[in-house]
Amino acid sequence: MYTLEELVLYAKSYGFIYQGSEIYGGLANTYDYGPLGALLKNNIKSAWLKSFYVKENNVLLDSSILLNSLVWKASGHTSNFSDPLTECKSCHQRYRADKLIEEIDKTINVDTLSFKDMDEYLLSHKVKCPSCGESNFDNIKSFNMMFKTYQGVVEESANMIFLRPETAQGIFINFKNIARTSRKKIPFGVCQVGKSFRNEITPGNFIFRTREFEQMELEFFCKPHTEKKWFNYYRNKMCKFLLSLGIKKDNFKIYDHPKEALSHYSNATSDIVFNFPWGFDELWGIASRTDFDLKAHQTLSGEDLSYLDSDDNSKYIPYVVEPSLGVERLLLATLFNGLEDETLPNNDTRTVLHISPVLAPYKVAIFPLNKKEQGAHASKIFKKLSQKYSVLYDETGSIGKRYRRADAIGVPFCVTFDFETKDTSTVTIRYRDTMIQERVKISSLNRIIEKSLITKE
Ligand code: GAP
């Protein structure tokens, strides 16, 4: 597997991910997605939507990033959405205390530690500041991670609002509208993809933890006492989804949160953790959130958010199961999972991104062997295929170099127009993973590409 440093270099040099605001010296921990990164991100979102929205017959929402501040009061974010902040009294570097402890002892479940426990741990274990090496930490304070801003022209506290730290609350506050207008009967889910913002104390590991990121969240509303069944259903589906996208079985596992570490509103929570170079770390979370959110919004807003079940005329506040995934985390996992520097039988080497055709930025590459001889024909087919797929067209350099570049960015098929093409209406198709080449009819290209985009879930 690539190291983090190797992957950062790869992502930059091939146009997946650039440092944010680079020409101004950068802005720490911000990233811009280049031509390939933007395509990959879109493909990830489309695959998730197809699986969790289309195939499940759920519905879609696109709610605002800016919400009434009472939303965050009801959800508990105003008082509880915080991390334990500690400061080194010698060099004034700030850290998340739980992460400092976790790094020293991976067997400790930091979720079960109080601030006092963490203070004591830092002191009794003489934990050293990673920056200056001193063991001199200040008492831990609670640091709220919501980004504040002001609405309107006057910057006063009455106008203070927050950038959403999750997309989920937009779904809860629209539950009544959605249930009424979609005419969906419970159980049903609402999917939302969009930006979230968190003022993380220690962002890091490239795009793994950033302050601006995108989430793909599903809030699945169900009848009380059926939530465990739905929790297991979606927990299972999450694994199948990853496998269907070619994420290797050994590269991820499920971590079930122990009962004593669950949030007050959850009766079950699991994470899918991925094998990143720094160890298994959270890729995707699923929580059974009971009726906590809808109840809290009902209490604070005064709106009745209960549901009348026409099956048995019962009235209840629905329970919620929530799988929540970061787009960038899946993107990072996809790259670590698929990138390889391979030595070929002739001792040549190639960089290859083994990525599912569904996610591949380009679905196919079109190469005329000779620009003058086959360029016009190849570009005609390129234009035709481009009506349906993102296609790479390259007519310069040796064919070997063109293959290498296509392999490195994960193009599943390279199609070469050569001297036989004109008379036989055939081309050579080369498969990225096996490097096997075969002659096929131009008319069969569409079917070959289409077949590769069918996933087994
Ligand atoms: N609504 C539930 C929720 O937001 P979460 O565990 O805080 O739960 C869900 O976040 C997912 O969002 C995570 O599993 C991760 O994939 C992604 N995520 C969270 N914080 C992130 C960050 N700072 N940078 C990138 N992705 C993040």
Side-chain angles (χ1 to χ4, degrees):
M1 190 183 268
Y2 267 42
T3 64
L4 183 60
E5 293 70 28
E6 285 166 346
L7 188 124
V8 172
L9 200 65
Y10 164 87
K12 184 173 176 179
S13 50
Y14 284 98
F16 281 90
I17 306 167
Y18 311 126
Q19 167 69 57
S21 312
E22 196 179 72
I23 64 165
Y24 286 101
L27 174 65
N29 306 106
T30 62
Y31 299 95
D32 293 333
Y33 291 79
L36 295 185
L39 282 169
L40 177 49
K41 257 186 145 185
N42 273 334
N43 294 343
I44 286 175
K45 289 186 267 187
S46 299
W48 182 85
L49 282 171
K50 189 168 173 197
S51 181
F52 285 81
Y53 154 61
V54 182
K55 287 188 180 168
E56 294 294 314
N57 198 16
N58 286 324
V59 298
L60 209 53
L61 180 75
D62 185 355
S63 69
S64 301
I65 285 173
L66 304 176
L67 302 176
N68 187 314
S69 293
L70 290 176
V71 171
W72 309 115
K73 189 172 175 199
S75 66
H77 282 82
T78 314
S79 47
N80 296 328
F81 193 61
S82 43
D83 275 339
L85 170 73
T86 186
E87 186 174 322
C88 169
K89 287 195 272 188
S90 305
C91 72
H92 302 290
Q93 189 71 34
R94 292 173 165 189
Y95 300 98
R96 255 180 78 173
D98 54 340
K99 293 289 169 202
L100 279 180
I101 295 169
E102 221 169 38
E103 257 171 36
I104 291 164
D105 187 348
K106 295 230 182 328
T107 62
I108 292 188
N109 186 347
V110 286
D111 296 341
T112 59
L113 300 182
S114 67
F115 283 12
K116 198 161 159 262
D117 294 336
M118 290 189 222
D119 273 332
E120 274 170 19
Y121 186 99
L122 294 178
L123 200 65
S124 63
H125 288 75
K126 294 193 172 47
V127 175
K128 288 194 169 87
C129 168
S131 174
C132 72
E134 294 293 315
S135 307
N136 190 17
F137 287 108
D138 205 352
N139 282 349
I140 293 164
K141 294 183 193 74
S142 173
F143 175 77
N144 192 295
M145 288 191 288
M146 282 202 291
F147 265 104
K148 299 177 191 68
T149 187
Y150 297 89
Q151 176 152 278
V153 289
V154 188
E155 289 196 7
E156 59 187 19
S157 58
N159 293 336
M160 194 168 80
I161 53 169
F162 302 96
L163 303 186
R164 67 179 177 199
E166 60 174 18
T167 69
Q169 297 304 322
I171 299 179
F172 296 129
I173 60 171
N174 279 294
F175 170 70
K176 212 174 147 182
N177 275 335
I178 298 168
R180 193 182 62 239
T181 54
S182 70
R183 303 182 68 237
K184 281 269 176 201
K185 282 173 69 176
I186 276 189
F188 73 91
V190 182
C191 296
Q192 170 150 242
V193 179
K195 289 259 180 176
S196 293
F197 301 84
R198 296 181 188 180
N199 200 1
E200 299 277 0
I201 299 170
T202 44
N205 284 337
F206 195 30
I207 57 167
F208 179 80
R209 183 172 289 105
T210 47
R211 296 190 170 111
E212 174 184 346
F213 55 98
E214 271 188 283
Q215 287 184 308
M216 304 182 282
E217 300 203 281
L218 161 64
E219 306 303 320
F220 189 80
F221 298 95
C222 61
K223 196 169 182 168
H225 310 302
T226 65
E227 74 276 12
K228 286 279 163 66
K229 179 182 92 182
W230 289 111
F231 179 84
N232 289 334
Y233 172 79
Y234 275 109
R235 187 173 168 275
N236 198 11
K237 184 177 166 74
M238 287 154 63
C239 296
K240 284 194 195 151
F241 177 72
L242 293 177
L243 291 171
S244 78
L245 294 179
I247 306 292
K248 292 171 200 141
K249 203 163 84 240
D250 292 344
N251 270 343
F252 70 92
K253 58 188 181 189
I254 296 186
Y255 166 71
D256 295 316
H257 289 228
K259 282 265 173 298
E260 65 277 13
L262 294 178
S263 312
H264 55 286
Y265 52 77
S266 170
N267 59 17
T269 298
S270 302
D271 292 337
I272 291 188
V273 291
F274 178 83
N275 185 17
F276 290 103
W278 56 92
F280 278 92
D281 210 342
E282 181 180 338
L283 170 64
W284 197 344
I286 177 165
S288 170
R289 299 179 68 109
T290 67
D291 55 0
F292 172 82
D293 302 272
L294 287 182
K295 231 180 199 165
H297 288 303
Q298 173 169 285
T299 306
L300 196 64
S301 68
E303 283 279 334
D304 180 4
L305 298 182
S306 60
Y307 174 80
L308 182 64
D309 197 324
S310 58
D311 283 350
D312 58 5
N313 271 334
S314 60
K315 200 176 174 196
Y316 52 82
I317 304 234
Y319 269 43
V320 170
V321 170
E322 178 198 61
S324 175
L325 171 62
V327 175
E328 295 81 358
R329 288 221 182 151
L330 184 51
L331 190 153
L332 194 58
T334 304
L335 294 182
F336 278 123
N337 182 74
L339 262 177
E340 242 178 297
D341 285 334
E342 285 180 1
T343 307
L344 305 175
N346 63 357
N347 277 337
D348 212 356
T349 55
R350 67 163 185 165
T351 297
V352 56
L353 176 62
H354 298 287
I355 188 174
S356 158
V358 171
L359 299 185
Y362 291 113
K363 305 303 176 209
V364 61
I366 302 285
F367 303 150
L369 193 59
N370 180 295
K371 187 176 159 183
K372 265 199 198 135
E373 303 274 334
Q374 298 97 18
H377 193 182
S379 77
K380 201 172 121 207
I381 301 301
F382 160 69
K383 281 193 190 125
K384 209 167 158 196
L385 291 174
S386 298
Q387 302 297 308
K388 273 179 102 175
Y389 318 104
S390 56
V391 186
L392 179 72
Y393 184 79
D394 192 352
E395 56 185 16
T396 50
S398 77
I399 198 73
K401 281 205 176 114
R402 283 185 261 172
Y403 282 154
R404 289 290 173 274
R405 187 179 149 76
D407 289 344
I409 61 173
V411 185
F413 315 107
C414 293
V415 171
T416 304
F417 285 63
D418 56 24
F419 305 110
E420 280 183 46
T421 301
K422 197 166 165 240
D423 297 332
T424 59
S425 289
T426 59
V427 283
T428 312
I429 187 162
R430 173 184 174 277
Y431 299 91
R432 176 197 67 205
D433 294 343
T434 58
M435 298 196 296
I436 287 172
Q437 302 188 17
E438 58 180 350
R439 278 209 93 75
V440 297
K441 287 259 176 219
I442 293 176
S443 56
S444 67
L445 289 177
N446 200 32
R447 187 180 44 77
I448 295 171
I449 301 165
E450 208 55 55
K451 198 168 155 216
S452 76
L453 299 176
I454 298 168
T455 52
K456 287 189 214 92
E457 214 189 295

